[in-house]
Amino acid sequence: MSKQEELEQKGYKTYSNDEINVFWNPKLCQHATECIMGNNKVFDVSRRPWVDVSQAPAKEIAEIIDRCPTGALLYELK
């Protein structure tokens, strides 16, 4: 089973491009806003879907997700 399949079974949603998979679990999110403060073009709660991985390089997205204190956001570099 892939990491994506495992996380989706745990309630995570997946947002992907050719370089990165971003996983988000709304049940774990405590709205610390580290993601939005990190890059509000990638993470925009007024948009659906609210994560747009085309708005920044994968490395930058990964660095922002590393600051998520709850584990609601995870990633997998391809």
Side-chain angles (χ1 to χ4, degrees):
M1 181 179 299
S2 71
K3 180 177 182 175
Q4 179 176 346
E5 290 169 328
E6 283 182 39
L7 290 173
E8 286 176 351
Q9 284 187 349
K10 294 178 181 179
Y12 283 83
K13 298 178 182 192
T14 304
Y15 308 90
S16 297
N17 65 20
D18 292 342
E19 299 176 349
I20 191 169
N21 288 329
V22 172
F23 308 102
W24 176 63
N25 188 328
K27 293 178 182 177
L28 296 177
C29 186
Q30 297 294 311
H31 308 290
T33 69
E34 290 293 329
C35 53
I36 296 164
M37 290 186 298
N39 186 322
N40 63 6
K41 291 181 181 174
V42 175
F43 303 98
D44 181 351
V45 295
S46 69
R47 179 184 62 219
R48 293 292 175 260
W50 80 284
V51 178
D52 183 352
V53 293
S54 72
Q55 296 297 314
K59 183 179 178 188
E60 178 183 334
I61 295 170
E63 289 171 357
I64 293 167
I65 291 173
D66 283 340
R67 295 195 297 263
C68 179
T70 65
L73 282 168
L74 302 172
Y75 67 90
E76 175 181 48
L77 295 172
K78 294 183 181 179

